[in-house]
Amino acid sequence: MTGPGDGAAPARATWVRWPVLALLVVDAAVSAVVELFFLPLRFDGALLPDLGGVPFPATAVLAAVGTPLLVRTAARLAPRLPVAGAPLAAWLATVLVFGFFGPGGDAVLVGDWRALLLLAGGALPAAVVLGGEMGRAQQAAAQRAADHDAARRPGVGTRTGA
């Protein structure tokens, strides 16, 4: 029987971590494809009400909210840059590959401001979250090192003597 102090929990947590990270990367790629395919959405009466054909890039908002959440979740699972940035890299690669070389050779990425809005909305907030999470991880590691160093030197910071 295993207990909480015998090291079985960290081994299990590491084992569970990698499938979750793979799922986050797949989720980033799938959301990028969906965001690309619905980017040309317009108020033209076909799917949305007819308001004169005004563009409605709602998927840029979804990218601005969803991609940072994927990056934050990956960073909390494994606070290393290649692992935490994997959902952002997968999202960006999927948008670029499917956008320029889509199914059947069609360019899915529309050539106007909506494409820039999608790229900026998905990549910039996720990059900011990635930088923040990596900074927090670095700060926590420095604090642990300082605490460990202080624990190794008895008497430092305490009053001794007379």
Side-chain angles (χ1 to χ4, degrees), residues 31-140:
S31 67
V33 169
V34 170
E35 290 158 4
L36 270 173
F37 286 161
F38 284 99
L39 186 62
L41 200 59
R42 295 178 164 274
F43 285 109
D44 60 357
L47 187 59
L48 297 174
D50 188 7
L51 297 177
V54 177
F56 183 62
T59 59
V61 176
L62 294 175
V65 173
T67 310
L69 288 175
L70 293 170
V71 169
R72 174 168 287 141
T73 304
R76 299 275 166 93
L77 287 173
R80 294 188 316 266
L81 183 61
V83 176
L88 174 58
W91 183 86
L92 192 57
T94 304
V95 165
L96 293 176
V97 168
F98 274 85
F100 292 117
F101 312 107
D106 294 335
V108 179
L109 197 58
V110 292
D112 62 4
W113 59 272
R114 292 173 289 174
L116 290 175
L117 186 64
L118 177 67
L119 288 169
L124 292 179
V128 168
V129 167
L130 180 61
E133 291 296 325
M134 292 299 97
R136 272 194 224 48
Q138 184 70 25
Q139 189 176 22

Side-chain angles (χ1 to χ4, degrees), residues 5-37:
D6 62 1
R12 182 176 181 269
T14 302
W15 180 80
V16 170
R17 200 176 296 172
W18 292 109
V20 172
L21 287 170
L23 184 64
L24 290 172
V25 169
V26 169
D27 187 23
V30 169
S31 67
V33 169
V34 170
E35 290 158 4
L36 270 173
F37 286 161

